[in-house]
Amino acid sequence: MELRHLRCFLAVAEELHFARAAERLHIEQSPLSRAIKELEEDLGVRLFIRNSRSTRLSRAGQVFKESVPRICTALQQAREGADLSACRRRKQTR
Amino acid sequence: MELRHLRCFLAVAEELHFARAAERLHIEQSPLSRAIKELEEDLGVRLFIRNSRSTRLSRAGQVFKESVPRICTALQQAREGADLSACRRRKQTR
DNA sequence: CATAATTACGTTCGTCGTAACCATA
DNA sequence: TATGGTTACGACGAACGTAATTATG
């Protein structure tokens, strides 16, 4: 799994539409479709139920969607924490 | 930032030695060095203080290291949550 | 001068986009 | 038959490994 997969998942989970999600991500539908497929294979679980007229979250997809924000928050906190302590250090240093 | 970068960071942060960390990751020292550099550039912060004889965490690196486990936990929970609900669904379905 | 990290360089693999394809309402 | 998702395929960029380089204790 890579963060790219999570970004793709989130877009599709929110749009429930591959074409719109792809547009939002500034990529084409084809790599998006593949990314979701890769993620599903990695997890061993189908995240979306899609027939050729509609896309909706599977049960597993719903649960997964709920946990993604926690990952994003953790990532952001890591970023900010590092940045903040570097700023403080820069202050101390001069 | 990609998860690859976090895996690399964690290995170096724990080993405090690029060669050992690389070995542990089953990659060479060279891509590892680059990955750390990329991460540092992405964060805009130096994570390790390294001269050619030793490697140690910077202040920002220490803070970052503390936040990485939270990310890993969140990722694992997402994985398990999806997997679990898929199992439950399979049970229900039959 | 030995050890540890980085840079140079060519190769390989992954990801992309275009286009053809398949499925269903 | 129009719409929406997937598969095929060639091109490009990112990541790798080997080897040369730099730096310092």
Side-chain angles (χ1 to χ4, degrees):
Chain A
M1 196 199 303
E2 285 299 332
L3 294 184
R4 182 175 66 88
H5 295 112
L6 297 187
R7 293 188 273 267
C8 290
F9 170 80
L10 208 55
V12 178
E14 285 175 7
E15 299 289 344
L16 294 180
H17 192 280
F18 277 73
R20 279 197 299 273
E23 195 175 359
R24 179 170 140 185
L25 293 166
H26 305 291
I27 62 173
E28 297 303 312
Q29 211 167 320
S30 141
L32 175 58
S33 171
R34 277 187 306 247
I36 297 296
K37 190 183 178 187
E38 286 162 15
L39 180 57
E40 290 177 325
E41 279 169 1
D42 176 38
L43 296 173
V45 155
R46 201 134 194 86
L47 295 169
F48 296 100
I49 314 287
R50 53 249 204 221
N51 54 26
S52 49
R53 295 299 285 179
S54 76
T55 299
R56 65 176 211 276
L57 284 160
S58 71
R59 178 161 189 69
Q62 289 172 28
V63 173
F64 193 72
K65 184 187 175 188
E66 287 168 19
S67 12
V68 170
R70 274 191 284 278
I71 301 170
C72 296
T73 303
L75 282 164
Q76 186 121 359
Q77 283 178 353
R79 232 177 231 292
E80 288 169 2
D83 200 35
L84 208 70
S85 57
C87 288
R88 190 164 335 128
R89 192 180 175 286
R90 271 197 288 278
K91 253 193 231 161
Q92 285 176 345
T93 322
R94 55 194 63 262
Chain B
M1 195 200 303
E2 286 299 331
L3 295 183
R4 183 176 66 90
H5 296 114
L6 296 186
R7 293 183 209 110
C8 290
F9 169 80
L10 208 56
V12 178
E14 286 176 6
E15 298 289 345
L16 293 180
H17 192 281
F18 277 74
R20 279 197 298 272
E23 195 174 0
R24 179 170 138 184
L25 293 165
H26 306 291
I27 63 173
E28 297 304 312
Q29 211 167 321
S30 142
L32 175 58
S33 171
R34 278 187 305 248
I36 297 296
K37 190 182 178 187
E38 287 161 14
L39 180 58
E40 289 177 326
E41 281 169 359
D42 177 38
L43 296 173
V45 154
R46 201 135 194 84
L47 295 168
F48 296 99
I49 314 287
R50 55 250 204 219
N51 54 25
S52 49
R53 295 300 285 178
S54 75
T55 299
R56 65 176 210 278
L57 284 161
S58 71
R59 178 161 190 68
Q62 289 171 28
V63 173
F64 194 72
K65 184 186 173 187
E66 287 168 19
S67 13
V68 170
R70 275 190 283 277
I71 301 170
C72 296
T73 304
L75 282 165
Q76 186 121 359
Q77 283 178 352
R79 232 178 231 294
E80 288 169 0
D83 200 34
L84 208 69
S85 57
C87 288
R88 190 166 332 129
R89 192 179 176 288
R90 271 197 288 278
K91 253 194 230 160
Q92 285 175 345
T93 323
R94 55 193 64 261

